[in-house]
Amino acid sequence: MGNVLLSVIRRDLLLAFRRRADVLTTLFFFVIVVSLFPLGVGPEMKTLRLIAPGVVWVAALLASMLSLQRLFAADYQDGTLEQMLLAPHPLGVIVLGKIVAHWMVSGLPLALMAPLLGLQFDLPPEALGILFIALLLGTPILSFIGAIGAALTLGLRGGGVLLSLLVLPLYIPALIFGAGAVEAYIAGVNPEGHLSLLAALLIFSGLATPWVTALALRIAME
Amino acid sequence: MAFNLFKYSSPASFYPLAGKMAPLFYVLAATLAIVGLYISFFVAPTDATQGEAYRIIFIHVPAAWMSMFIYIVMAIWAGLGLILNTRLSSMMAQALAPTGAMFTVVALITGAFWGKPTWGTWWEWDARMTSELILLFLYIGYMSLTAAIDDVRRADKAGAILAMVGGINVPIIYFSVKWWNTLHQGASVSLTRSPSMAKTMLLGMLIMAIAAWMYSIAVTLSRVRLLMLEREKSSAWVQEVLEKKS
Amino acid sequence: MNWGSLSNFIDMGGRGFYVWGSYLITLVCIVFELVLLSRQKSALWQRLTQIMKLNKQG
């Protein structure tokens, strides 16, 4: 089973590497959205420091929405997905592999880029570290929950907008705990509580969502 | 449910039954609403702290209850449809959604109308109002998803998954928002009513809630009849129904 | 509860706008739902009977 997982991850990473432009587009979208906020709000550092965690997190949410559609779309179009449904391995494991690979090319870059963007908002170094950890824990949650939405809207016209309608409300707990961790630190409160809840959410969604997504895929392909 | 589920689980036999039951529930809803409104405006005393503005609660609280209750019932029907593969359960779920969304909108708007004179703002980011708003998003998502899928069976099942995932998320969202709210505001504004709330107030609220419940059943029955006709339009029983009407 | 006069009842202790506003909006929402439902119903009936007639002819 571990072998299946690893081979799915390797395959999807290889495919993603061939389409590097897609990965970069998501990352640039993230950077641009975050950079727009100071222009809209004004250059006052005190305000910017206050809104920085929320801005970075909302931008990460939107960026992850952009890439979600690609999670199953290519495999759906070329028929690979049908093969996966028929494969002898449990579909949940294959889906887990696809989600992990998807996170590595779409979520991880956001987490790595975030501290740099935090500098634009004059966040102190420790807060940057917490922002990074929170995104590291939080972006996989976005991929896990988003996968359900991607499977449900597979092959539908106008799927992209519909997908965000379905998935964004479900992202709220991750947003609250993720942005809250950084805000708590800035306010002088220990952010450990937020981070532990975020980790609990990650474990829960990691265990449950691949199977729900597998069920949704079977329904979509019926 | 008072009726035998197995006997009436086929649309052909449920259609006439629903047709007979719906008017009954409309009448019940209207009667209870009149009694409830009479108590709300002529029996219940003025609230000591909130004055007359509290009378909004007689619709706000029942609407908020119904919005949550209908979501739960909808998720259960949808789940039954997914697991047991019964056509009627999925139709029930889809018939419930618009009414649930309507009550959510009513709860939000009346909440704002209550908040303005009581808190001084139309909107407060407290756990209940925020969760209610998110509940509306979940209803909209469910209805958009089922409407976007042409294949009826896929629409039912995809909707069921979304409804159940949303159902699991609602308490998580509620508690996370509550937690977030206390962190940001310290002592947040409390919706809890004074302990001295008169018995007649409670009675009025309860009767209004039952009226809202009856109304939901009535509208859902009417809507599920349409869904049955639409989906089974080529079946023999629908043809019979059409013959009889024309 | 004795309101004394109709104007007292409408005024609602100075909160008439909020109380009656919320009741009015609730009424509008319910009427809207019912009207929508009955329009759906008549549209569906019309469509189905038309299909039936066409089937009989053909």
PDB file of all heavy atoms in Angstrom, chain C residues 37-50:
ATOM      1  N   LEU C  37     -43.314  28.653  -5.609  1.00  0.00           N
ATOM      2  CA  LEU C  37     -43.722  27.251  -5.647  1.00  0.00           C
ATOM      3  C   LEU C  37     -44.930  27.068  -6.558  1.00  0.00           C
ATOM      4  O   LEU C  37     -44.961  26.155  -7.385  1.00  0.00           O
ATOM      5  CB  LEU C  37     -44.044  26.789  -4.229  1.00  0.00           C
ATOM      6  CG  LEU C  37     -44.219  25.295  -4.018  1.00  0.00           C
ATOM      7  CD1 LEU C  37     -42.924  24.578  -4.319  1.00  0.00           C
ATOM      8  CD2 LEU C  37     -44.624  25.024  -2.573  1.00  0.00           C
ATOM      9  N   SER C  38     -45.910  27.966  -6.428  1.00  0.00           N
ATOM     10  CA  SER C  38     -47.123  27.780  -7.236  1.00  0.00           C
ATOM     11  C   SER C  38     -46.832  28.053  -8.709  1.00  0.00           C
ATOM     12  O   SER C  38     -47.413  27.424  -9.596  1.00  0.00           O
ATOM     13  CB  SER C  38     -48.254  28.673  -6.727  1.00  0.00           C
ATOM     14  OG  SER C  38     -48.019  29.991  -7.113  1.00  0.00           O
ATOM     15  N   ARG C  39     -45.892  28.963  -8.975  1.00  0.00           N
ATOM     16  CA  ARG C  39     -45.519  29.199 -10.378  1.00  0.00           C
ATOM     17  C   ARG C  39     -44.802  27.997 -10.960  1.00  0.00           C
ATOM     18  O   ARG C  39     -45.028  27.612 -12.105  1.00  0.00           O
ATOM     19  CB  ARG C  39     -44.634  30.444 -10.489  1.00  0.00           C
ATOM     20  CG  ARG C  39     -45.449  31.718 -10.333  1.00  0.00           C
ATOM     21  CD  ARG C  39     -44.594  32.930 -10.446  1.00  0.00           C
ATOM     22  NE  ARG C  39     -43.957  33.049 -11.755  1.00  0.00           N
ATOM     23  CZ  ARG C  39     -43.389  34.160 -12.188  1.00  0.00           C
ATOM     24  NH1 ARG C  39     -43.377  35.216 -11.437  1.00  0.00           N
ATOM     25  NH2 ARG C  39     -42.824  34.185 -13.376  1.00  0.00           N
ATOM     26  N   GLN C  40     -43.927  27.401 -10.134  1.00  0.00           N
ATOM     27  CA  GLN C  40     -43.248  26.183 -10.578  1.00  0.00           C
ATOM     28  C   GLN C  40     -44.258  25.099 -10.893  1.00  0.00           C
ATOM     29  O   GLN C  40     -44.149  24.375 -11.879  1.00  0.00           O
ATOM     30  CB  GLN C  40     -42.290  25.685  -9.496  1.00  0.00           C
ATOM     31  CG  GLN C  40     -40.944  26.363  -9.516  1.00  0.00           C
ATOM     32  CD  GLN C  40     -40.122  26.016  -8.287  1.00  0.00           C
ATOM     33  OE1 GLN C  40     -40.605  25.371  -7.360  1.00  0.00           O
ATOM     34  NE2 GLN C  40     -38.884  26.453  -8.278  1.00  0.00           N
ATOM     35  N   LYS C  41     -45.267  25.023 -10.023  1.00  0.00           N
ATOM     36  CA  LYS C  41     -46.276  23.988 -10.167  1.00  0.00           C
ATOM     37  C   LYS C  41     -47.030  24.155 -11.476  1.00  0.00           C
ATOM     38  O   LYS C  41     -47.158  23.209 -12.261  1.00  0.00           O
ATOM     39  CB  LYS C  41     -47.249  24.037  -8.984  1.00  0.00           C
ATOM     40  CG  LYS C  41     -48.232  22.906  -8.992  1.00  0.00           C
ATOM     41  CD  LYS C  41     -49.106  22.949  -7.752  1.00  0.00           C
ATOM     42  CE  LYS C  41     -50.130  21.828  -7.818  1.00  0.00           C
ATOM     43  NZ  LYS C  41     -50.916  21.729  -6.596  1.00  0.00           N
ATOM     44  N   SER C  42     -47.502  25.383 -11.742  1.00  0.00           N
ATOM     45  CA  SER C  42     -48.299  25.561 -12.960  1.00  0.00           C
ATOM     46  C   SER C  42     -47.441  25.361 -14.198  1.00  0.00           C
ATOM     47  O   SER C  42     -47.894  24.791 -15.197  1.00  0.00           O
ATOM     48  CB  SER C  42     -48.982  26.924 -12.970  1.00  0.00           C
ATOM     49  OG  SER C  42     -48.042  27.930 -12.733  1.00  0.00           O
ATOM     50  N   ALA C  43     -46.168  25.789 -14.135  1.00  0.00           N
ATOM     51  CA  ALA C  43     -45.287  25.601 -15.286  1.00  0.00           C
ATOM     52  C   ALA C  43     -45.079  24.117 -15.559  1.00  0.00           C
ATOM     53  O   ALA C  43     -45.124  23.663 -16.709  1.00  0.00           O
ATOM     54  CB  ALA C  43     -43.947  26.284 -15.036  1.00  0.00           C
ATOM     55  N   LEU C  44     -44.883  23.364 -14.485  1.00  0.00           N
ATOM     56  CA  LEU C  44     -44.646  21.924 -14.646  1.00  0.00           C
ATOM     57  C   LEU C  44     -45.881  21.229 -15.198  1.00  0.00           C
ATOM     58  O   LEU C  44     -45.788  20.414 -16.119  1.00  0.00           O
ATOM     59  CB  LEU C  44     -44.254  21.325 -13.294  1.00  0.00           C
ATOM     60  CG  LEU C  44     -43.923  19.829 -13.323  1.00  0.00           C
ATOM     61  CD1 LEU C  44     -42.651  19.582 -14.102  1.00  0.00           C
ATOM     62  CD2 LEU C  44     -43.771  19.286 -11.900  1.00  0.00           C
ATOM     63  N   TRP C  45     -47.048  21.568 -14.650  1.00  0.00           N
ATOM     64  CA  TRP C  45     -48.289  20.957 -15.125  1.00  0.00           C
ATOM     65  C   TRP C  45     -48.487  21.216 -16.611  1.00  0.00           C
ATOM     66  O   TRP C  45     -48.837  20.323 -17.375  1.00  0.00           O
ATOM     67  CB  TRP C  45     -49.492  21.502 -14.352  1.00  0.00           C
ATOM     68  CG  TRP C  45     -49.784  20.724 -13.115  1.00  0.00           C
ATOM     69  CD1 TRP C  45     -49.532  21.099 -11.840  1.00  0.00           C
ATOM     70  CD2 TRP C  45     -50.357  19.414 -13.042  1.00  0.00           C
ATOM     71  NE1 TRP C  45     -49.907  20.113 -10.965  1.00  0.00           N
ATOM     72  CE2 TRP C  45     -50.428  19.063 -11.683  1.00  0.00           C
ATOM     73  CE3 TRP C  45     -50.813  18.507 -13.996  1.00  0.00           C
ATOM     74  CZ2 TRP C  45     -50.921  17.844 -11.239  1.00  0.00           C
ATOM     75  CZ3 TRP C  45     -51.316  17.288 -13.554  1.00  0.00           C
ATOM     76  CH2 TRP C  45     -51.371  16.965 -12.198  1.00  0.00           C
ATOM     77  N   GLN C  46     -48.250  22.484 -16.988  1.00  0.00           N
ATOM     78  CA  GLN C  46     -48.438  22.847 -18.384  1.00  0.00           C
ATOM     79  C   GLN C  46     -47.527  22.004 -19.280  1.00  0.00           C
ATOM     80  O   GLN C  46     -47.970  21.446 -20.288  1.00  0.00           O
ATOM     81  CB  GLN C  46     -48.085  24.328 -18.542  1.00  0.00           C
ATOM     82  CG  GLN C  46     -48.886  24.998 -19.617  1.00  0.00           C
ATOM     83  CD  GLN C  46     -48.685  26.498 -19.558  1.00  0.00           C
ATOM     84  OE1 GLN C  46     -47.833  26.999 -18.819  1.00  0.00           O
ATOM     85  NE2 GLN C  46     -49.456  27.225 -20.335  1.00  0.00           N
ATOM     86  N   ARG C  47     -46.278  21.911 -18.851  1.00  0.00           N
ATOM     87  CA  ARG C  47     -45.293  21.166 -19.645  1.00  0.00           C
ATOM     88  C   ARG C  47     -45.699  19.693 -19.756  1.00  0.00           C
ATOM     89  O   ARG C  47     -45.699  19.115 -20.847  1.00  0.00           O
ATOM     90  CB  ARG C  47     -43.919  21.294 -18.975  1.00  0.00           C
ATOM     91  CG  ARG C  47     -42.763  20.954 -19.860  1.00  0.00           C
ATOM     92  CD  ARG C  47     -41.556  21.794 -19.491  1.00  0.00           C
ATOM     93  NE  ARG C  47     -41.227  21.711 -18.076  1.00  0.00           N
ATOM     94  CZ  ARG C  47     -40.456  20.769 -17.554  1.00  0.00           C
ATOM     95  NH1 ARG C  47     -39.945  19.846 -18.329  1.00  0.00           N
ATOM     96  NH2 ARG C  47     -40.190  20.751 -16.267  1.00  0.00           N
ATOM     97  N   LEU C  48     -46.081  19.107 -18.626  1.00  0.00           N
ATOM     98  CA  LEU C  48     -46.387  17.674 -18.626  1.00  0.00           C
ATOM     99  C   LEU C  48     -47.638  17.357 -19.440  1.00  0.00           C
ATOM    100  O   LEU C  48     -47.672  16.369 -20.179  1.00  0.00           O
ATOM    101  CB  LEU C  48     -46.542  17.167 -17.181  1.00  0.00           C
ATOM    102  CG  LEU C  48     -45.262  17.106 -16.359  1.00  0.00           C
ATOM    103  CD1 LEU C  48     -45.516  16.497 -14.995  1.00  0.00           C
ATOM    104  CD2 LEU C  48     -44.169  16.338 -17.080  1.00  0.00           C
ATOM    105  N   THR C  49     -48.668  18.201 -19.319  1.00  0.00           N
ATOM    106  CA  THR C  49     -49.878  17.915 -20.095  1.00  0.00           C
ATOM    107  C   THR C  49     -49.612  18.085 -21.586  1.00  0.00           C
ATOM    108  O   THR C  49     -50.154  17.338 -22.412  1.00  0.00           O
ATOM    109  CB  THR C  49     -51.042  18.835 -19.675  1.00  0.00           C
ATOM    110  OG1 THR C  49     -50.535  20.148 -19.507  1.00  0.00           O
ATOM    111  CG2 THR C  49     -51.689  18.369 -18.387  1.00  0.00           C
ATOM    112  N   GLN C  50     -48.753  19.050 -21.931  1.00  0.00           N
ATOM    113  CA  GLN C  50     -48.408  19.233 -23.334  1.00  0.00           C
ATOM    114  C   GLN C  50     -47.710  17.994 -23.889  1.00  0.00           C
ATOM    115  O   GLN C  50     -48.038  17.507 -24.979  1.00  0.00           O
ATOM    116  CB  GLN C  50     -47.472  20.432 -23.482  1.00  0.00           C
ATOM    117  CG  GLN C  50     -48.036  21.492 -24.408  1.00  0.00           C
ATOM    118  CD  GLN C  50     -47.414  22.839 -24.125  1.00  0.00           C
ATOM    119  OE1 GLN C  50     -46.303  22.916 -23.624  1.00  0.00           O
ATOM    120  NE2 GLN C  50     -48.135  23.894 -24.438  1.00  0.00           N
TER     121      GLN C  50
END
